[in-house]
Amino acid sequence: MEKNKQPLSIIKIGGNIIDNPAELTSFLADFSKIEGNKILVHGGGKSATKMAQSIGLVPQMIEGRRITDKPMLDVVVMIYAGEINKNIVAQLQANNTNAMGFSGADGNLIQSTKRNHPTIDYGFVGDVQKVNTPLLQTLINSGIVPVFCAITHDKNGQLLNTNADTIASELAIAASEVFEVTLNYCFEKAGVLTDVEDEDSVIQQINSELYSQLKEEGAIHSGMIPKLDNCFNSLSKGVQKIKIGHHRMLQNKAALHTTITL
C-alpha cells in the first residue's frame, strides 16, 4: 500500500443547489476555496424535466429513479453534459479554479453497462462498471479540477443516464487506491435528519450499526436510504470518510452535518 497518499476531496452537489442560481454561486465560491486536490460531481436539477415538458415529453419516474427513453436521453445529455456542466465550469474559472468538464465518455473516464432489471425497463440508464483511475490521477496531478455530470457510456457508442450519487461513490472508491479520499454529499439540508421539517434534528454520527437500527425504526426518510446505502458501500471499499450536509460545512468546520463511518 502506497504511503503518504495525497488527500482528495470529492464533492457531489444535488439538484436543489443547481436549481437556485444564488445558492449555486455561493456553493462554487466555497468549493473554490477548498485547498488541494478536488473533484466535483453534479446532478441535474429540474432543468431536464422542464426542458422535456416544454417539448411535450412526459418524464417518468419509478421509485425515485428516472426512466430514460431515447427522447429523454437526448434531453438529459443536452442539459447535464451541456448547459449545467459548462455553466459550472465557467463559474469555477471565474473563481480561479482550473476546472474541466467531463462525461464518463470523455477519456473513457467512467464506463457503464445499460441497467438490466428483471421487471423494470429503465431505458438508457447506466450502472457504473469501471473508472479510468490512471487518467483521473493524471488530470488531478496536472492541477485540473474535474467536473463530472451524470452521463456515462458503455464503450459501444451509447451514452447512459447515470445516478450522480453513484458516480461520486464509484469515483471515490476508484480514487481511494491512489488518494486519501473524503467524499462530501452537499444538498439543501444540514445533514441526515430525524425530522425533515427540523433543520436542527441532524444525526451527527452514523455507523453501520446505528444505520440498521434507524432503518428498522423508520427514522430515516426513504429518499435518504439509497444515498446512505451508497455511503456504506464506499466506506467498505476504501473511502476514508463521508460527510453529508449543507455546503456551508465545506468552509465552516463547526457547521452541523452528518459524518458516516463503518
Side-chain angles (χ1 to χ4, degrees):
M1 189 168 162
E2 203 177 318
K3 284 181 184 165
N4 303 328
K5 289 181 182 176
Q6 286 189 341
L8 169 67
S9 299
I10 298 181
I11 288 97
K12 188 264 169 176
I13 53 163
N16 291 1
I17 294 176
I18 290 162
D19 291 330
N20 180 332
E23 192 79 14
L24 180 61
T25 300
S26 162
F27 164 78
L28 293 173
D30 280 352
F31 177 81
S32 295
K33 289 177 195 141
I34 296 169
E35 290 182 3
N37 305 315
K38 53 194 171 184
I39 294 173
L40 179 57
V41 180
H42 63 81
K46 298 192 180 81
S47 316
T49 303
K50 281 183 193 155
M51 173 63 78
Q53 287 166 336
S54 76
I55 57 171
L57 299 178
V58 180
Q60 286 176 282
M61 306 287 276
I62 293 185
E63 294 166 359
R65 304 266 187 191
R66 190 189 290 278
I67 302 290
T68 309
D69 59 10
K70 181 65 176 71
M72 195 66 210
L73 180 69
D74 292 344
V75 170
V76 296
V77 169
M78 183 167 60
I79 298 293
Y80 299 176
E83 183 190 10
I84 294 173
N85 188 267
K86 298 310 160 199
N87 180 31
I88 286 173
V89 168
Q91 287 196 52
L92 286 172
Q93 292 291 354
N95 279 289
N96 297 314
T97 291
N98 194 15
M100 196 180 273
F102 295 100
S103 73
D106 298 295
N108 190 27
L109 275 161
I110 307 172
Q111 200 174 314
S112 295
T113 51
K114 187 169 178 283
R115 179 169 301 165
N116 182 8
H117 190 280
T119 57
I120 301 166
D121 180 5
Y122 282 97
F124 295 98
V125 166
D127 291 320
V128 176
Q129 297 299 307
K130 194 164 75 175
V131 171
N132 183 345
T133 312
L135 178 55
L136 193 64
Q137 187 178 13
T138 300
L139 288 164
I140 291 165
N141 289 345
S142 305
I144 299 292
V145 175
V147 178
F148 283 93
C149 68
I151 301 292
T152 61
H153 77 137
D154 68 355
K155 200 74 163 65
N156 294 308
Q158 182 61 59
L159 292 170
L160 296 164
N161 185 14
T162 306
N163 181 277
D165 282 354
T166 306
I167 287 177
S169 153
E170 293 292 343
L171 284 169
I173 291 164
S176 65
E177 291 170 29
V178 284
F179 294 99
E180 187 175 314
V181 178
T182 300
L183 176 56
N184 300 269
Y185 285 107
C186 294
F187 68 148
E188 73 285 1
K189 302 285 185 191
V192 180
L193 308 175
T194 52
D195 175 359
V196 285
E197 302 303 321
D198 178 7
E199 280 288 324
D200 292 327
S201 67
V202 175
I203 308 165
Q204 293 187 45
Q205 296 274 347
I206 300 179
N207 60 20
S208 38
E209 196 181 331
L210 177 60
Y211 180 46
S212 301
Q213 188 187 322
L214 290 167
K215 270 203 294 194
E216 262 177 50
E217 292 166 0
I220 291 180
H221 187 265
S222 59
M224 187 54 78
I225 287 173
K227 194 186 286 284
L228 288 169
D229 287 344
N230 248 335
C231 291
F232 284 104
N233 178 49
S234 308
L235 290 167
S236 71
K237 292 179 177 172
V239 176
Q240 273 74 21
K241 191 195 290 183
I242 301 183
K243 297 193 279 190
I244 296 181
H246 190 273
H247 66 80
R248 66 177 78 90
M249 73 180 178
L250 299 176
Q251 287 306 314
N252 177 3
K253 301 238 182 318
L256 270 181
H257 62 271
T258 301
T259 300
I260 299 170
T261 51
L262 278 177

